[in-house]
Amino acid sequence: MPFFMSKFSHLLDVSTDMTSIPDFIIDKINRAYQLHALEQHAEAMDLLNNTLATTSIKEPVLRAIVQLNIEADNFEPAIAGLEQLVLITSSPIVYVKNLYSLCYSCGQKDRAIRYLRSYVSDKPSDPQGLYNLADGIRRERHFEEALEQYRAAIECGFSDISLAKLKMADIQQQINRENEAIVILEEILNEEPTYLPALFNLASLYDEIADKQHACELYQKILAIQPDHALAMSRLATMSGNAIESERLILKIKSALSENEYTPEELESLYFALGKLNDDCKKYEQAAQYYVLGNELQIEKSLPYNPLEQEKLTQDICRTFDSQLVKSKDIDSGDAFSPIFICGMFRSGSTLVEQILSAHPEVESAGEIDFLKKAIEKFCPNFQKSINLNEESLISISQEYKSNVARYLSNPRFFTDKNPVNFTLVAIIKRMFPHAKFIFTQRERLDNCLSVYFQQLDNSLNYASNLVDLKHYYNEQMKLLNHWQSVLSNDDYLILNYESFVSNFDTELMNLLKFLDLQWSDSCLAFHEQKKRIKTASIWQVRQPMNTNSLLRWKNYEPYLKDLND
């Protein structure tokens, strides 16, 4: 039987015993596919529906109806076909999962979850059904319920206990219960000592909480089991602290590259690792070559950066959110809720500021939480265009944000939110939380852009892999920063210049704490000694005492930076 390929090609991934299907049905289905290929979709559906009405062997016909309706973007008929498949088959769980996947892909998330819940309601002891439900609600961040469903799946005999526990450990990490995550991962490894996903996740967790010894031991254990493991080698590269160690890793990675075939994603991580290691060894020409190779692979999997679209976004924000609108009191200004939003371009010092403030006894770091973005998206799917939110919407968003923060944090006096998207939402934040404070981190263009270029970032950051695009994006960020300065009150924000901050740390720290109405605390000077978890690219840089090593780093790469110069 033919199978289509589309953005929904993951659906209906079930085996079909062709020998059990009569030839005349196969002929009808193949003819329907031919008609569909000729853009005669209505005729194809008529043929299949007539066949369905005249045969008792309905499953393969319904599958074809579902597939062709999906291919034609007729999702409701496809959903109806899947519902029929659930009713007529003795093992409907695969079609229930298809219903979930299709509804979720169409943006009908609540409906998608209802199908999973309905199946579990009918078959509460089906381990696969419980596991699928756990996956679905985990995706929606209902973490405590997801944990319960994973446990229930295991108790009912789910076949892959290690996989279920791996996802439970991931949830514990997401809700900042690192110790519980470690316990679960160690449980897995007690049963399966060579289970690489658990070894890698445990190593990564130790990496993030600055337990370098345990992290290195686990990465090395992974390489003892699988010597060509690209991610383990790449992570060791980020932790490398001296030239001798870096030289050894360079030889190991080069050898692995010559002896193995890697996926583009693995190659990308290894090229960035070699760039970093050569930089450690002051081999700047070689480092630049590997960074170029890594970024070229990133470009291949990213959508092209659109300068005009970025300019329009900046213009729309500046035009819409003028001083009068920003200062309008849509929500009761008597609310004392006063979060600290750290906003700035990637690699501009935002993680450093977060780490320093979280060392203060009255401040807790929430990291790059997405509570605000998720809450806004319920009212405006394109959160960056959330311009016309009314008072009722703003109240609902603010309440959801505060509720999630209360569950996530231990009720400190102040907390920091460092999600990068907040930079475009400053006006909305100010309207919801009149007492919010904004710290805008700023860094010299050449060093900032070069530092971004040297990082293996998510491919959604499609400006990050091309120096021309990086320069354009940086300039747009500066336009937006200038706009926020023009519409906010001086008491609302602080511009924190990275170069000045690392060069005059004590003075700048005093100014920062004064801006936030915080008393001086010597613990902020020892920020690098914290064992708090860090999940950004600056994971090991902010574990070092304050230094100026990153200043004027661009000079080492000056021959390659013509696209960043004016």
Side-chain angles (χ1 to χ4, degrees):
M1 185 184 300
F3 291 94
F4 68 89
M5 292 298 294
S6 74
K7 64 180 178 179
F8 297 105
S9 59
H10 60 289
L11 298 175
L12 293 180
D13 183 19
V14 294
S15 60
T16 301
D17 182 3
M18 301 297 290
T19 61
S20 66
I21 304 174
D23 289 343
F24 82 92
I25 290 182
I26 293 177
D27 290 342
K28 297 282 189 182
I29 291 173
N30 284 337
R31 177 57 183 159
Y33 274 91
Q34 291 169 0
L35 289 169
H36 178 77
L38 295 171
E39 299 185 355
Q40 298 177 33
H41 180 73
E43 291 83 351
M45 287 297 104
D46 287 343
L47 176 58
L48 290 173
N49 284 319
N50 289 335
T51 305
L52 185 66
T54 57
T55 181
S56 60
I57 304 173
K58 297 184 180 295
E59 184 174 358
V61 183
L62 280 169
R63 281 167 47 84
I65 288 172
V66 171
Q67 287 183 310
L68 291 183
N69 272 312
I70 293 174
E71 182 70 3
D73 288 345
N74 294 332
F75 300 124
E76 284 303 322
I79 290 170
L82 284 168
E83 289 175 337
Q84 290 183 64
L85 282 164
V86 169
L87 293 174
I88 68 169
T89 56
S90 58
S91 300
I93 189 165
V94 66
Y95 296 119
V96 172
K97 190 170 183 181
N98 291 157
L99 277 166
Y100 165 80
S101 297
L102 180 55
C103 290
Y104 199 94
S105 298
C106 295
Q108 301 181 46
K109 297 180 181 180
D110 291 341
R111 185 181 184 183
I113 295 292
R114 284 199 298 272
Y115 285 117
L116 299 179
R117 290 192 186 281
S118 177
Y119 181 85
V120 169
S121 177
D122 291 339
K123 299 188 176 184
S125 299
D126 185 322
Q128 187 64 53
L130 291 163
Y131 177 83
N132 291 345
L133 177 58
D135 271 356
I137 55 183
R138 168 175 168 258
R139 195 175 185 180
E140 293 304 295
R141 305 180 67 86
H142 302 310
F143 291 137
E144 296 298 343
E145 184 187 358
L147 287 170
E148 292 176 9
Q149 299 298 340
Y150 283 125
R151 292 189 193 102
I154 292 171
E155 290 170 3
C156 290
F158 183 65
S159 60
D160 194 339
I161 294 175
S162 292
L163 178 61
K165 285 189 173 183
L166 194 72
K167 293 186 176 181
M168 292 172 66
D170 177 72
I171 289 175
Q172 300 288 12
Q173 288 180 245
Q174 290 198 55
I175 56 180
N176 286 351
R177 297 203 293 238
E178 289 86 2
N179 291 335
E180 288 87 341
I182 290 171
V183 169
I184 294 172
L185 291 169
E186 288 179 341
E187 284 178 6
I188 298 172
L189 293 170
N190 285 337
E191 295 296 322
E192 294 188 66
T194 60
Y195 186 58
L196 290 179
L199 281 169
F200 185 80
N201 287 4
L202 185 57
S204 298
L205 181 52
Y206 279 128
D207 197 348
E208 291 170 358
I209 61 176
D211 190 336
K212 190 172 184 177
Q213 179 179 345
H214 274 105
C216 284
E217 288 173 357
L218 287 166
Y219 288 134
Q220 294 290 2
K221 185 173 183 179
I222 291 170
L223 291 172
I225 298 168
Q226 183 181 325
D228 63 346
H229 197 288
L231 286 178
M233 289 187 282
S234 300
R235 291 295 181 87
L236 284 171
T238 66
M239 301 168 66
S240 177
N242 60 70
I244 296 175
E245 186 179 345
S246 294
E247 290 281 11
R248 288 174 183 162
L249 264 174
I250 288 172
L251 293 175
K252 182 175 183 61
I253 294 175
K254 283 186 173 181
S255 175
L257 285 169
S258 67
E259 296 173 2
N260 301 281
E261 290 188 8
Y262 288 103
T263 66
E265 290 75 15
E266 290 171 331
L267 280 175
E268 184 183 314
S269 68
L270 291 173
Y271 288 150
F272 275 101
L274 285 170
K276 190 267 182 187
L277 294 168
N278 277 286
D279 182 85
D280 290 343
C281 299
K282 303 187 187 306
K283 297 178 179 179
Y284 301 120
E285 182 177 356
Q286 293 94 318
Q289 291 170 355
Y290 283 114
Y291 282 129
V292 168
L293 290 173
N295 279 290
E296 285 175 347
L297 287 174
Q298 277 200 326
I299 289 171
E300 289 179 8
K301 67 180 184 181
S302 303
L303 292 173
Y305 176 70
N306 189 330
L308 296 179
E309 188 176 287
Q310 190 65 40
E311 289 173 15
K312 185 177 185 306
L313 175 62
T314 304
Q315 292 165 3
D316 288 347
I317 292 173
C318 295
R319 181 172 55 251
T320 302
F321 293 112
D322 57 18
S323 178
Q324 182 178 356
L325 182 61
V326 170
K327 295 176 182 177
S328 62
K329 306 299 187 207
D330 285 320
I331 296 182
D332 182 11
S333 60
D335 187 348
F337 187 69
S338 52
I340 302 166
F341 292 91
I342 303 173
C343 304
M345 189 160 164
F346 278 102
R347 312 296 295 167
S348 65
S350 57
T351 302
L352 177 62
V353 175
E354 176 192 48
Q355 181 79 344
I356 290 166
L357 287 177
S358 68
H360 194 284
E362 294 188 73
V363 182
E364 186 171 346
S365 164
E368 295 183 0
I369 52 174
D370 61 358
F371 300 150
L372 187 58
K373 176 177 176 288
K374 294 286 187 184
I376 289 174
E377 284 177 336
K378 292 181 179 179
F379 296 90
C380 182
N382 186 345
F383 71 94
Q384 289 187 321
K385 297 184 179 179
S386 48
I387 290 171
N388 298 316
L389 292 170
N390 58 31
E391 181 176 350
E392 182 180 352
S393 299
L394 290 172
I395 291 173
S396 178
I397 292 166
S398 68
Q399 290 175 343
E400 179 175 336
Y401 180 80
K402 288 191 280 189
S403 175
N404 282 324
V405 166
R407 286 197 297 268
Y408 188 81
L409 300 179
S410 57
N411 196 30
R413 180 185 171 199
F414 293 108
F415 73 92
T416 61
D417 179 340
K418 198 181 74 70
N419 194 310
V421 305
N422 293 334
F423 191 51
T424 62
L425 302 174
V426 167
I428 293 172
I429 292 170
K430 186 60 182 173
R431 292 173 68 192
M432 290 190 297
F433 311 126
H435 301 290
K437 296 283 190 178
F438 298 93
I439 300 169
F440 297 123
T441 55
Q442 186 179 23
R443 188 176 181 184
E444 190 275 331
R445 186 183 70 230
L446 291 176
D447 273 336
N448 198 159
C449 291
L450 190 68
S451 187
V452 172
Y453 189 75
F454 285 175
Q455 301 301 317
Q456 185 183 10
L457 300 172
D458 187 272
N459 61 6
S460 63
L461 306 175
N462 56 350
Y463 62 86
S465 300
N466 178 285
L467 294 178
V468 173
D469 294 340
L470 261 169
K471 177 183 175 182
H472 182 272
Y473 185 82
Y474 179 95
N475 290 338
E476 290 302 301
Q477 293 287 96
M478 293 304 103
K479 289 178 187 176
L480 194 52
L481 174 57
N482 291 336
H483 174 70
W484 293 139
Q485 287 182 260
S486 71
V487 299
L488 292 171
S489 300
N490 291 337
D491 293 339
D492 293 333
Y493 73 92
L494 176 72
I495 303 292
L496 202 153
N497 177 269
Y498 177 82
E499 287 77 17
S500 179
F501 194 57
V502 300
S503 300
N504 307 288
F505 181 41
D506 287 9
T507 300
E508 294 292 338
L509 175 59
M510 191 176 301
N511 293 336
L512 174 61
L513 297 178
K514 182 179 180 181
F515 165 70
L516 298 172
D517 294 323
L518 289 169
Q519 295 294 318
W520 175 267
S521 174
D522 288 340
S523 61
C524 293
L525 298 174
F527 66 91
H528 56 285
E529 297 176 0
Q530 295 184 93
K531 298 298 182 182
K532 293 179 180 178
R533 187 172 170 215
I534 297 174
K535 294 181 279 186
T536 70
S538 305
I539 184 169
W540 286 106
Q541 290 93 323
V542 298
R543 304 293 191 192
Q544 302 170 15
M546 185 61 73
N547 61 77
T548 58
N549 296 342
S550 295
L551 297 186
L552 300 178
R553 188 184 181 194
W554 63 268
K555 286 184 175 293
N556 298 322
Y557 296 90
E558 192 167 7
Y560 313 100
L561 300 182
K562 62 181 184 301
D563 290 334
L564 284 179
N565 290 315
D566 288 324

